[in-house]
Amino acid sequence: MKVTMFGTQPYDRETFDRVGRDYGFGMVYHKSHLNADSAVLAEGSDAVCIFVNDEADAAAIARLSNLGVRLIALRCAGFNNVDLRAAARFAIPVVRVPAYSPHAVAEHAVALLLALNRKIHRAYWRTRDGNFSLHGLLGYDLWGKTAGIVGTGRIARCLIRILLGFGMRVLAYDPCPDAALAASEGFDYVPLDELYARSDVISLHCPLNDSTRYMIGDVAIAQMKPGVVLINTGRGQLIHTEALIDGLKEGRIGAAGLDVYEEEAAYFYEDTSDRIMDDDVLARLLSFHNVIVTSHQGFFTREALDNIARTTLDNLREFAEGRPLTNRVLLEA
Ligand code: NAI
């Protein structure tokens, strides 16, 4: 079976070549993202394999179908970038990697939180420059503070355990709450407005869909505690970035740790350091000393990369052998 991989980086090629030795697929790697124009690169392939910033919209899927592509394999958990209705219309199943290392993303969220609270990013540059002053580096104990976790799926569960280990109180919101989990771990489900009002730290772990797009905007920010630390390792469009910028300027948001950004596709995963930044919103975000932006790297651990490759290759093998697709994304998902 021939598989065209879009949006690849050298580490994708290295991992898939190493893990994929025994699978016997013909993998073709492309750096370009999938979109309606680049879809032609998949000519002659049975399947395409895509990542978070590839665009499998209706036009791209129609092209893929014309080229004879019969499967879309996401090498990530989120599937907000695939038009599932279009895929169903063209009878192209979509598979994904539902879990590869929830620890990787949860630990990255914690890294952002600790760095922001204790100003590690600022201290790093200061001491290298011979500046050993503590001025402006004051943080606070996480012990005894309240964390609000939006979405209590796989990643959030890992994060909740870590935060409870810090001695934080954890509040959570999920439209499908798991009362047994809350009781056994020791956290409370509360309505979203209560979570916003009571949390010192808010971390987003729900999928991006029509009901969550821009859930953090002016209205939500106005309900939050002044000085709240906002962490987003979910998807960029969960936050209305201009509202976040206003919140940061007014001091309502104390700090923001963003592993995702709503317009990230134009920048993330690329070295654009020799270009003038033409995204004024991203440039403004990067100008705040209390904002850390990472380039959608929450998943980026050795363990996660290996698991992603293995599950993706297993998904492809199930398809090649005509078996039921364990990790198929269903239209109603
Ligand atoms: P999951 O599917 O295990 O959990 C998602 C949870 O969100 C579920 O419990 C669901 O009921 C809940 N949810 C659905 N709608 C909601 C709403 N309106 N409000 C609050 N909660 C809602 O997903 P998992 O693996 O925990 O991943 C969460 C998200 O993290 C993914 O959808 C993806 O967008 C993002 N992600 C980011 C990565 C990164 O590298 N930064 C890597 C992997 C995932």
Side-chain angles (χ1 to χ4, degrees):
M1 188 161 85
K2 188 175 161 198
V3 182
T4 296
M5 275 178 72
F6 285 90
T8 62
Q9 297 288 341
Y11 49 79
D12 293 309
R13 182 185 287 247
E14 187 282 319
T15 315
F16 273 83
D17 280 349
R18 178 168 43 77
V19 177
R21 255 178 231 132
D22 304 329
Y23 286 80
F25 297 130
M27 309 297 282
V28 180
Y29 300 98
H30 289 289
K31 193 167 184 297
S32 331
H33 289 308
L34 172 69
N35 55 40
D37 295 327
S38 64
V40 66
L41 293 171
E43 185 153 24
S45 287
D46 305 284
V48 293
C49 179
I50 64 173
F51 196 51
V52 292
N53 290 325
D54 291 299
E55 229 180 297
D57 57 11
I61 290 173
R63 288 264 165 90
L64 292 175
S65 172
N66 276 339
L67 295 165
V69 169
R70 294 175 294 122
L71 178 76
I72 296 174
L74 287 150
R75 53 181 192 282
C76 55
F79 46 86
N80 52 284
N81 52 338
V82 180
D83 185 331
L84 293 178
R85 283 181 196 290
R89 258 198 324 277
F90 288 99
I92 299 181
V94 178
V95 290
R96 66 175 180 138
V97 183
Y100 39 86
S101 173
H103 307 284
V105 186
E107 289 170 14
H108 191 71
V110 175
L112 290 171
L113 169 60
L114 290 175
L116 285 164
N117 178 32
R118 303 309 295 270
K119 324 274 194 279
I120 302 299
H121 54 305
R122 302 186 69 196
Y124 172 81
W125 286 112
R126 275 193 197 184
T127 54
R128 292 173 82 85
D129 193 35
N131 177 355
F132 297 93
S133 154
L134 295 184
H135 179 75
L137 302 187
L138 189 65
Y140 59 77
D141 291 3
L142 290 175
W143 188 91
K145 299 293 186 302
T146 299
I149 308 298
V150 181
T152 52
R154 296 175 187 85
I155 294 169
R157 287 163 197 231
C158 295
L159 177 63
I160 287 170
R161 283 188 198 114
I162 296 171
L163 299 180
L164 289 170
F166 284 168
M168 296 188 82
R169 175 180 186 143
V170 174
L171 305 177
Y173 169 76
D174 195 305
C176 305
D178 182 341
L181 177 78
S184 67
E185 295 292 336
F187 68 89
D188 297 313
Y189 280 105
V190 294
L192 205 45
D193 51 354
E194 187 178 337
L195 181 149
Y196 291 151
R198 291 175 55 196
S199 301
D200 301 292
V201 173
I202 294 176
S203 194
L204 306 178
H205 301 283
C206 53
L208 174 65
N209 55 39
D210 288 344
S211 72
T212 59
R213 183 168 286 109
Y214 298 129
M215 64 188 294
I216 307 292
D218 291 332
V219 175
I221 290 172
Q223 295 175 61
M224 293 178 191
K225 265 193 180 181
V228 64
V229 176
L230 189 58
I231 305 291
N232 187 10
T233 60
R235 284 289 182 268
Q237 284 184 21
L238 295 175
I239 297 182
H240 190 272
T241 314
E242 302 210 3
L244 172 66
I245 288 173
D246 288 344
L248 285 158
K249 279 160 73 178
E250 290 158 12
R252 294 198 61 81
I253 305 282
L258 309 173
D259 188 44
V260 286
Y261 165 60
E262 54 175 312
E263 301 296 337
E264 69 182 46
Y267 283 91
F268 283 19
Y269 302 134
E270 299 300 329
D271 178 0
T272 67
S273 54
D274 58 352
R275 271 175 28 201
I276 301 298
M277 183 168 284
D278 56 7
D279 181 331
D280 292 350
V281 177
L282 180 58
R284 183 68 180 102
L285 266 186
L286 293 170
S287 74
F288 291 103
H289 64 68
N290 52 349
V291 172
I292 297 180
V293 175
T294 52
S295 188
H296 205 142
Q297 72 177 75
F299 75 99
F300 201 49
T301 66
R302 274 195 291 274
E303 293 79 2
L305 284 188
D306 279 15
N307 291 338
I308 287 171
R310 196 160 295 112
T311 304
T312 302
L313 291 159
D314 286 344
N315 288 342
L316 291 165
R317 182 149 66 188
E318 280 182 349
F319 179 76
E321 294 175 357
R323 288 190 280 138
L325 300 172
T326 313
N327 295 315
R328 185 168 186 167
V329 183
L330 299 173
L331 192 50
E332 65 273 17

